[in-house]
Amino acid sequence: KIESAFLERPDALVCTFQAITPDRLPYKKYARKAARHSLNSIRRVSSIEIAVRRKAFTERHLAWDLNFGLNARFGGGLELAFMKNVLDLKLPAYYVPERIAIHPKDSTGHRHSSDSAYFRGAIYSRLYGRKAYILLAIFTLRNVFSSSFTVSATFVDETGMTVSAICRYTACAMEVQPG
């Protein structure tokens, strides 16, 4: 399936696919049609769904952002940072509605904690730059004005962690800027 997807899309350097659980259920909700990836679509990509042609690394200098992922500075978001690199390099990347992996439903990408709020702040900063602050404000206001919202110490703590991560990632990104 992977080889066929790349043969059908000779310009593709990255393709993402679908996964299923051991019970043969979809790992998550997937689009039905193949499409080229955008900044919006990469937010749904999991690492187990990604296939890459070698020349994307060797000829186009695609790389993993080692600030993200398990045991990194920001403990998640590796695939999002990777797919953002794909888009930044303007590499052709496509979603293909074919199943290629089996994976348990419970994973690091589905766990919620203040640590996940922290890396999500950093990954939003990586994806959207300074617009991450605006998106956080919109997210916060949407939650505050929802009918079921109650202010809790957890919500306040996680919002603070998210802002902290946006600031820390912005500082981290500035450290590696040339000049």
Side-chain angles (χ1 to χ4, degrees):
K1 293 179 183 181
I2 296 171
E3 187 175 1
S4 294
F6 280 107
L7 288 172
E8 292 171 16
R9 297 161 187 82
D11 67 320
L13 293 179
V14 177
C15 287
T16 65
F17 298 88
Q18 298 179 357
I20 58 174
T21 66
D23 298 333
R24 312 220 41 88
L25 299 171
Y27 184 69
K28 58 186 165 193
K29 188 173 181 176
Y30 291 100
R32 292 182 185 177
K33 294 183 179 181
R36 190 160 181 149
H37 272 295
S38 66
L39 187 57
N40 189 45
S41 69
I42 66 171
R43 292 177 26 206
R44 302 221 4 101
V45 173
S46 299
S47 58
I48 58 171
E49 302 162 346
I50 301 171
V52 184
R53 287 187 198 252
R54 180 183 299 192
K55 69 180 181 179
F57 293 106
T58 59
E59 296 175 15
R60 301 296 294 276
H61 309 291
L62 179 61
W64 296 94
D65 186 335
L66 300 180
N67 287 303
F68 294 95
L70 298 178
N71 298 317
R73 183 180 295 190
F74 304 107
L78 180 65
E79 58 279 339
L80 278 170
F82 177 78
M83 291 301 293
K84 178 66 164 97
N85 287 347
V86 168
L87 295 180
D88 288 349
L89 290 169
K90 298 183 180 3
L91 303 181
Y94 298 90
Y95 161 71
V96 180
E98 294 285 344
R99 296 173 173 176
I100 65 160
I102 299 172
H103 196 276
K105 188 70 172 169
D106 183 37
S107 73
T108 55
H110 290 106
R111 295 185 190 128
H112 186 75
S113 67
S114 60
D115 288 342
S116 67
Y118 185 69
F119 89 73
R120 287 183 202 287
I123 198 63
Y124 270 75
S125 182
R126 173 70 181 88
L127 294 176
Y128 303 109
R130 294 181 194 266
K131 292 177 189 171
Y133 291 107
I134 296 166
L135 294 171
L136 175 62
I138 292 167
F139 172 78
T140 302
L141 289 172
R142 190 174 64 203
N143 280 325
V144 167
F145 290 109
S146 75
S147 60
S148 61
F149 179 77
T150 57
V151 175
S152 68
T154 303
F155 177 78
V156 172
D157 184 46
E158 288 182 2
T159 302
M161 292 293 286
T162 303
V163 170
S164 173
I166 292 170
C167 294
R168 185 162 180 203
Y169 180 77
T170 302
C172 169
M174 294 177 104
E175 290 172 9
V176 296
Q177 296 295 321

